[in-house]
Amino acid sequence: MRIYATYNIKGGVGKTSAAVNLAYLASREGWKTLLWDLDPQAAATYLFRIRPRVKGGSKALVHGTRPFDAAIKGTDFANLDLLPADFTYRRMDLLLDAARKPTRQLARLLEPLARDYDVVFLDCPPSVSLVSENVLHAADTLIVPIIPTTLCTRTLDQLTGFVGSLEAHQPSILAFFSMVDRRKRLHRDIVEHLPAERTDIATAAIPAMSLIEQMAVRRAPLPVFSPRSEATRCYQKLWEEISGRHRSGGNRQG
Ligand SMILES: Nc1ncnc2c1ncn2[C@@H]1O[C@H](COP(=O)(O)OP(=O)(O)OP(=O)(O)O)[C@@H](O)[C@H]1O
Ligand SMILES: [Mg+2]
């Protein structure tokens, strides 16, 4: 089982859009895929037309008093399941703090899912919190959307530094450019040059397009309602790059 997390301290950078589209693309290739929406805003849950409700709330999940199977929902798509978020997730930090190993609890909870799933996506809320620290411990790869600005590499270096300081498990990091506006010279320059210089930035980039915002109107992954669009091709390229690195065993950090 391979665990990916869409991760960034910053909000509104394209984490959920990426998690939903990439999870869908993985499932379409035949991988048994689970997306765990960890954000109390429950945007991924909404996009899959699933009610943001977890019986017993996050408490039952985090304390392991209710099996995951009872909370996991099927989506409209083959091979793709969702573990929804609900508003009780806002307290997840407190619940994790009460666990025996507060930063390892999510990794522990995810272990038995390897029986049923090939690929897991964790869609994280934008924050530095105990939830996000748990995600760093649980994930094999962090998929980090970054907007091409002058400071974006600084944010990425800070994250790499933090991950490097973690004991035991260190996920690999693959950033990608998100919301790229080709009308802006700075965006064009950064997107053209940086991926050649840094192995932790994907060559595939996601353009800023109102079509991607339509996911919230259509409530479906982009490749479902716009299979031949440029934006879909970009997510496909991104998924090929992410899954290709895995196959070649490449932890091409740094
Ligand atoms: N490439 C894009 N072009 C245009 N709009 C986009 C793009 N990617 C995402 N959006 C829109 O921007 C908003 C934020 O995107 P998204 O929810 O994916 O980000 P996020 O990082 O998960 O946000 P949050 O931190 O709140 O969880 C949404 O309205 C989404 O539709
Ligand atoms: Mg989100």
Side-chain angles (χ1 to χ4, degrees):
M1 184 173 78
R2 187 80 186 165
I3 303 178
Y4 299 104
T6 48
Y7 184 87
N8 194 321
I9 294 166
K10 286 200 173 69
V13 291
K15 296 182 295 294
T16 299
S17 306
V20 166
N21 291 329
L22 296 173
Y24 171 77
L25 291 171
S27 71
R28 207 175 61 177
E29 284 180 354
W31 304 112
K32 288 285 292 169
T33 305
L34 176 73
L35 172 60
W36 188 358
D37 183 356
L38 285 166
D39 187 341
Q41 295 177 96
T45 304
Y46 179 85
L47 291 177
F48 280 113
R49 301 168 181 257
I50 288 172
R51 253 189 350 138
R53 188 166 144 63
V54 178
K55 264 203 180 142
S58 49
K59 191 171 181 178
L61 277 185
V62 170
H63 289 173
T65 51
R66 217 181 268 266
F68 266 41
D69 307 15
I72 290 173
K73 307 282 182 201
T75 66
D76 294 340
F77 310 104
N79 300 321
L80 182 54
D81 291 345
L82 181 94
L83 183 50
D86 74 7
F87 202 50
T88 65
Y89 276 36
R90 71 191 188 281
R91 295 185 197 283
M92 203 181 267
D93 264 20
L94 296 172
L95 298 165
L96 289 167
D97 203 28
R100 204 158 49 85
K101 289 185 177 167
T103 59
R104 309 282 165 93
Q105 182 67 0
L106 288 194
R108 201 172 73 84
L109 291 169
L110 285 163
E111 265 168 30
L113 295 178
R115 275 196 312 261
D116 299 318
Y117 294 99
D118 304 309
V119 179
V120 172
F121 277 89
L122 306 173
D123 185 29
C124 296
S127 61
V128 189
S129 62
L130 201 45
V131 173
S132 44
E133 211 171 323
N134 265 271
V135 165
L136 299 186
H137 280 287
D140 297 300
T141 302
L142 302 180
I143 300 169
V144 185
I146 48 175
I147 298 180
T149 59
T150 327
L151 291 179
C152 68
T153 50
R154 191 167 162 266
T155 316
L156 188 54
D157 290 338
Q158 282 172 341
L159 175 62
T160 308
F162 182 57
V163 165
S165 74
L166 295 176
E167 285 166 23
H169 175 78
Q170 297 181 355
S172 62
I173 296 175
L174 183 62
F176 71 90
F177 288 118
S178 181
M179 302 181 176
V180 178
D181 184 349
R182 293 225 161 244
R183 288 168 308 181
K184 293 184 181 160
R185 174 139 189 218
L186 182 68
H187 278 213
R188 282 201 313 273
D189 282 354
I190 292 177
V191 170
E192 273 158 31
H193 293 113
L194 267 186
E197 290 167 19
R198 299 182 56 130
T199 54
D200 58 351
I201 303 182
T203 338
I206 307 298
M209 284 185 145
S210 49
L211 183 64
I212 296 175
E213 288 175 82
Q214 284 291 314
M215 287 170 67
V217 180
R218 308 291 292 259
R219 295 185 73 182
L222 182 69
V224 171
F225 68 87
S226 188
R228 271 175 277 280
S229 60
E230 189 204 336
T232 289
R233 277 200 301 278
C234 291
Y235 278 112
Q236 271 164 343
K237 275 195 204 149
L238 181 60
W239 171 240
E240 280 161 23
E241 215 171 325
I242 292 167
S243 53
R245 283 192 185 213
H246 173 210
R247 272 194 296 279
S248 62
N251 176 353
R252 305 194 351 168
Q253 251 186 82

